[in-house]
Amino acid sequence: MNLDAAGAALVVTPGALLVAAGALRRGRARRPFAPGRARSFAWQAYTRALTRSAEQALLSARCAAGPGAPAVVTVEDVLRLADERFGYGEVEREDAAAALRHAYERAGSPADCVTDAYSSIQ
């Protein structure tokens, strides 16, 4: 066996083994490789969607308020936006209230906004 044939064998053999393993698995994952990482990613996506929903609810309430009138933002608005825009139908009310409080405080607690997120604290 010459050097070129040995090099080709070293390249082709692992590739053939990977193709055979893929054919045995039929191209689908049977369980996640890292369940902890999958849970962490799902939680990050959930909190990101709630944060975006709260910010959008705050912005839409400000746009809908008339001149001189306070913008009223409710936790229900956040829950509705999380369901409509991000597909999270089962959102805990406490999580939505926390996201709304966070967005409200990040906006500098404006005097022209009123929210019920603080009444959800127990």
Side-chain angles (χ1 to χ4, degrees), residues 21-22 24 32 47 55 69 73 75-77 83 86-87 92 106 121:
L24 289 176
T47 56
E55 290 171 352
V73 187
V75 177
E76 293 299 323
D77 295 337
D83 184 24
F86 299 102
E92 294 291 327
R106 261 187 33 187
I121 299 174

Side-chain angles (χ1 to χ4, degrees), residues 7 16-17 19-20 23 26 33 36-37 50 55 60 64-65 76 78 83 87 96 102 104 113 121-122:
L17 290 175
V19 169
R26 296 185 188 115
F33 289 119
R37 185 183 301 172
L50 280 181
E55 290 171 352
S60 65
E76 293 299 323
V78 177
D83 184 24
H102 180 69
Y104 186 77
C113 290
I121 299 174
Q122 298 189 20

Side-chain angles (χ1 to χ4, degrees), residues 11-68:
V11 171
V12 172
T13 304
L17 290 175
L18 284 173
V19 169
L24 289 176
R25 292 185 62 86
R26 296 185 188 115
R28 60 180 179 219
R30 303 204 178 202
R31 63 178 186 174
F33 289 119
R37 185 183 301 172
R39 280 189 299 273
S40 173
F41 180 76
W43 178 253
Q44 288 172 359
Y46 175 75
T47 56
R48 189 178 313 117
L50 280 181
T51 301
R52 288 181 181 164
S53 297
E55 290 171 352
Q56 288 174 357
L58 190 60
L59 182 64
S60 65
R62 279 186 167 168
C63 292

Side-chain angles (χ1 to χ4, degrees), residues 59-101:
L59 182 64
S60 65
R62 279 186 167 168
C63 292
V72 179
V73 187
T74 63
V75 177
E76 293 299 323
D77 295 337
V78 177
L79 293 172
R80 181 182 47 82
L81 284 171
D83 184 24
E84 289 176 359
R85 298 197 180 188
F86 299 102
Y88 286 103
E90 300 290 326
V91 176
E92 294 291 327
R93 186 170 175 80
E94 292 82 17
D95 293 341
L100 183 55
R101 283 191 302 271

